[in-house]
Amino acid sequence: MKIISTNSQNNDSGKALEYCLSNLLVHPIEPDILLCYFTEEHDSHLIINTLKKRFPNTKIHGCTSCRGVMTDHGFLECYSIALWALYDSKHGRYGTSIAKLNNNHEITQLTKQLLEKAIKDSGREGELPALVLLHATPGQEEEIITAIDEYFGTPIPLIGGTAADNNVQGKWCIFTQDDLLSSGISLSVFYPSCKVSYSFHSGYACSSTSGIATKTHNRIIYEIDHKPVIDVYKQWTELPMGLGDKTNLLERVTLFPLGRIAGYMYSSPYFKLAHPVKFTHDGGMECFASINEGEEVFMMYGEEEQIISRPQRVINSAINSYEDNFSPIGGINIFCAGSMMHIKTSMDAVCHSVNSAMHGAPYICPFTFGEQGRFTGGENAHGNLMVSTVLFHY
C-alpha cells in the first residue's frame, strides 16, 4: 500500500493539475482512490474531467477549500490545488457516491441510499468499512452523521470536511468521479489493507461562563437564558460588534466559539464547537453548526499558540497507542478555515509540525467550513474550529 501527495499554486488550472499529475505518474498503476481539494479560483469542471480521463478506473472524491490547501510539501494560499493518491494492491477496496440536495429531500433516507451505493461501488457488500469520508455543502451535517450512525448500528470511524469557499458566498462544490455539485452530499467508504487510527479535537478551553439556548431555529440562535443572543455574546466576549446581515464574524471571533459537551473522558468533558458566522437582520446569530433549544452553551476561548500546535497534538493523539511500532503510510487532515485564517502567517510552522508528527508520511489537508470526526469516546460529530485526523499505518 502506498500514498502519494502533491500540490501546486499555478493560477492556470490546467497547468496546476498537469504539474500535480506528473508527480503521480511515478507510480505505474492508477490509484484506487484519489482525493482532490482546490480553491474557488480554479476551473472545477476542467479539473474533474481531466482526472476522470487520466484515471478512468479510480474513485475520485473531494471539495473546494477555503483560501488554500496543505500537504506535506507545504502550505499554499489561493489558486492552489492538492491531490492525494492511495494505491492498495492487496485486498483494499473503495467506493464513492454523491447526490444533489433540494428542499424535497429527506436527509436520513438520502444518506442511507448513498451509503448503500458507496458500499456496492466498493464491492464489499455485507462488510463494515474501516472509515467513512464525508464531504457535504453547509447546512445538514448533523443530520447526515446521525443517519450514518443509524445505518451501521454502531459508530464507524468518520472523517469529513464541509465544502468551503473564500468568503462565504456559496462558491463551493463537492464532487466524485460521477458528478460535481454546489449543493449535496458525497461519501466514500474505505476498506484498506492496513490499520486506521483517528482523532478529533477542538483544542479550545472552556471558560466558567455558560447559559441555556432558549430560542433557536436551525443554525440561528436568538436567545441565551431568555436574553438576546447578541447582547449575551458581546458581554461574554467583550468585543465591539455591529448588527446586520453584512456583519461577517467568520474571522473576527475565531478565538471565541460556543461549545457544547460532546462526551466525557474520565469525568472531564470534551466539546464540539459552533463558530458564529454573522448577526442576522432579525436579531439572531447564525453559526456553522446547529444549536438546539435547551442545550447548555459554554463560552470557549483559544490562544494562538494553542491553535498553531493543535494539529500536531491531534496527530500525536491518533498514534498514541502505536507509538512504539508506528509505521505510517499517510493520512488525511481536516483543518477549520476560520482557524487557518486567524493564524495564516504561522501556517508554514503548522505544516512543519504536522510533517514531524506524521514522521514524514504524505498527507492532504483542506480548510473547511465544518469538520467531522470521531471523538475518543467513540462519538461521531460535526463541529467548527476543529481538527480531524485519520492515519493509515501498519
Side-chain angles (χ1 to χ4, degrees), residues 43-57:
D43 185 334
S44 56
H45 291 280
L46 171 67
I47 290 170
I48 305 311
N49 289 336
T50 303
L51 291 177
K52 288 167 60 177
K53 185 175 179 180
R54 289 292 184 93
F55 303 122
N57 301 306

Side-chain angles (χ1 to χ4, degrees), residues 50-107:
T50 303
L51 291 177
K52 288 167 60 177
K53 185 175 179 180
R54 289 292 184 93
F55 303 122
N57 301 306
T58 295
K59 314 300 180 184
I60 300 169
H61 196 184
C63 67
T64 45
S65 177
C66 177
R67 304 190 190 182
V69 295
M70 187 169 71
T71 71
D72 48 297
H73 301 288
F75 166 71
L76 300 180
E77 296 189 47
C78 294
Y79 288 100
S80 56
I81 181 173
L83 299 180
W84 181 94
L86 184 151
Y87 306 83
D88 198 348
S89 58
K90 293 185 178 180
H91 305 294
R93 294 293 182 271
Y94 305 85
T96 64
S97 61
I98 190 169
K100 186 175 182 178
L101 273 177
N102 59 50
N103 294 333
N104 298 322
H105 270 130
E106 207 282 314
I107 301 298

Side-chain angles (χ1 to χ4, degrees), residues 12 32 47 71 100 110 129 136 174 176 187 221 224 238 243 258 266 325 334 346 349 351 359 361:
D12 182 296
D32 289 273
I47 290 170
T71 71
K100 186 175 182 178
L110 179 61
I174 59 172
T176 69
L187 296 168
I221 180 169
I224 296 177
E238 299 182 352
L243 306 181
L258 299 175
Y266 304 114
N325 57 354
I334 307 292
S346 299
C351 185
H359 297 241

Side-chain angles (χ1 to χ4, degrees), residues 160-344:
T162 304
D165 61 4
N166 290 347
N167 297 293
V168 201
Q169 296 176 335
K171 297 179 181 179
W172 48 61
C173 69
I174 59 172
F175 52 86
T176 69
Q177 70 278 3
D178 292 326
D179 210 346
L180 185 151
L181 301 171
S182 59
S183 176
I185 305 170
S186 60
L187 296 168
S188 288
V189 290
F190 287 63
Y191 297 84
S193 59
C194 69
K195 296 175 182 177
V196 176
S197 296
Y198 55 87
S199 187
F200 187 43
H201 287 285
S202 76
Y204 283 65
C206 179
S207 72
S208 59
T209 303
S210 69
I212 302 298
T214 48
K215 183 180 179 181
T216 67
H217 179 68
N218 296 329
R219 292 192 162 179
I220 301 174
I221 180 169
Y222 289 96
E223 294 180 359
I224 296 177
D225 293 333
H226 301 287
K227 301 174 184 177
V229 66
I230 296 174
D231 295 342
V232 173
Y233 190 72
K234 289 171 70 174
Q235 179 185 353
W236 285 4
T237 62
E238 299 182 352
L239 292 174
M241 291 177 285
L243 306 181
D245 284 327
K246 295 183 180 180
T247 304
N248 190 329
L249 302 178
L250 187 63
E251 297 183 56
R252 299 179 61 194
V253 301
T254 300
L255 298 181
F256 303 102
L258 299 175
R260 281 109 355 106
I261 295 175
Y264 292 86
M265 182 59 63
Y266 304 114
S267 75
S268 296
Y270 47 87
F271 295 84
K272 54 186 177 181
L273 307 183
H275 189 182
V277 182
K278 64 181 179 181
F279 293 138
T280 62
H281 68 280
D282 56 354
M285 186 169 72
E286 185 176 348
C287 300
F288 268 128
S290 298
I291 296 176
N292 299 318
E293 287 186 12
E295 278 193 295
E296 185 173 12
V297 292
F298 295 81
M299 185 73 261
M300 308 294 290
Y301 63 93
E303 302 291 342
E304 286 196 24
E305 287 303 315
Q306 291 176 317
I307 298 174
I308 292 169
S309 63
R310 180 177 56 170
Q312 183 176 22
R313 288 185 280 115
V314 173
I315 293 168
N316 288 339
S317 174
I319 67 176
N320 184 54
S321 58
Y322 299 95
E323 198 163 351
D324 293 335
N325 57 354
F326 179 67
S327 179
I329 303 166
I332 305 168
N333 296 311
I334 307 292
F335 196 99
C336 172
S339 296
M340 179 275 292
M341 287 187 280
H342 188 75
I343 60 167
K344 182 177 284 189

